[in-house]
Amino acid sequence: MREALAGRRFIDVNSTMSGGGVAEMLRRLQRYSRGAGLDARWFTLRGDRAFFALTKQLHHLLHGVDGCGPPLDRVGGAHYAAVCEANARALRGVVRPGDVVTLHDPQAAGLVPYLRRVGARVVWRCHVGTDEANLYTDRAWAFLRPWLETADAYVFSREQFVPGWLAGRRVAVIRPSIDPLSAKNRPLAPSAAAAILSRVGLRAPVDREGPAVYRRGDGSVGRVRRDPTCLCSASPPPADAPLIVQVSRWDPLKDMAGVLTSFAEAGGSLDGTHLALVGPDVGGVTDDPEGGRVFAECAALWRRLPDGVRMRAHLACLPMADTEENAVIVNALQRSAAVVTQKSLAEGFGLTVTEAMWKGRPVVASAVGGIRDQIEHGVHGILLEDPRDSVSFAAQTGTLVGDRCFAGVLGAGARRRVRENFLDDRQLLQQTVLYRNVAGV
Ligand code: UDP
């Protein structure tokens, strides 16, 4: 590929440097591309609150739900156009004719016409979607389609997400993937994981605990230093308590509140277990204006829980200042979990599911969007047909906590599934084919 595409730049444009699956993948895929000798660059677009409120509404609509965000009217459209134009201007010195630019998600869709005009080959990659089109998805496409018409290719995470109006165009389905060598997924000894969790208040310390250290990407030794920016926890979970973990952005579609409610109402099946709901610092994800509100709602719910349940539920916002430190905390949590959940109401793909599966954890997840592509029910994890069914969510989670043998079988199946399908080498090869097609070489 280096020979075929020599002299071109490969530029990814998205809307945040950290927090969320797209930033997570770009950081690594960019490094692999640069390591292979390509001129790969990453540009993060700038926008104001009104812009990100509008694009978050588009994100919800593409998932087939109304996010109750601002209307996609003439005023909103004009503001979207102005922000995209300003970002296109900032890119003007970087993009040259023949370069391949991948624009990610609704935030960057508005750059297509500007970049086509300077002679770039433009790919629009959509990481969200829903299997069934409805009036909300129609509304999103009516807004986005005029911007997207002239793109050279379109990428989706799932066939079912491709809208009908793209029939006959160049469309690729590329499923996301994870890097087993990253701080998020690298092996971590149980003692190191325990030390890291007790450092951030999510595990009670034990006697003769080691230091909360880990190996950084550059080979140096890192030490977890930062505290969660918010922590709702009466006291840390005991070291021997089975831990149920969900790691997600504070987004209504991840249904953290639903997990908490289900846990509170579970009764006997989850007795003795502890729940950790963990997400990024709500100020740390620049393109997600809902984080603060969703976390505040979960915290209010937590405060109202009966004492006996509140003692066993823990909410944490992890600092985002150091992405490797953040990643290793997530790694420690996922590895220490008895069960990992992902009770999403909609999901583009769900890298958190892949990450947990790679670590051999039993997963209970909603049968929505890309999660369906990852888990075959009863083989690689447990799929919940109705994501709002909190009774069976708690029951299935309780079954896995109680039946460690079955949990182990699912965990082993999950790890195998990820090794065969969802590691970065597969995605990089697909990306290579796409780049060559788009560049016409
Ligand atoms: N994530 C993280 N720190 C956090 C919360 C989430 O690194 O505090 C990561 C998580 O491990 C995963 C990504 O953010 O890699 C979320 O991707 P996913 O596809 O699950 O959902 P998205 O946020 O893109 O909707």
Side-chain angles (χ1 to χ4, degrees), residues 259-305:
V259 179
L260 192 54
T261 308
S262 167
F263 181 76
E265 292 170 355
S269 69
L270 295 177
D271 270 359
T273 63
H274 280 241
L275 171 70
L277 294 179
V278 176
D281 172 20
V282 291
V285 187
T286 47
D287 66 342
D288 190 355
E290 291 179 306
R293 176 179 62 77
V294 172
F295 177 73
E297 284 167 9
C298 291
L301 207 56
W302 178 82
R303 278 190 289 274
R304 290 198 300 273
L305 291 174

Side-chain angles (χ1 to χ4, degrees), residues 20-21 24 184 247 249 254 279-280 318 326 330 347 350-352 355:
E24 179 78 22
K184 177 81 51 76
V247 176
R249 282 181 301 107
K254 306 291 183 183
L318 300 183
N326 177 283
V330 172
E347 193 64 73
L351 283 174
T352 49
E355 290 157 5

Side-chain angles (χ1 to χ4, degrees), residues 188-198 210-214 332:
L188 196 60
S191 57
I196 288 168
L197 293 190
S198 86
V213 293
Y214 61 100

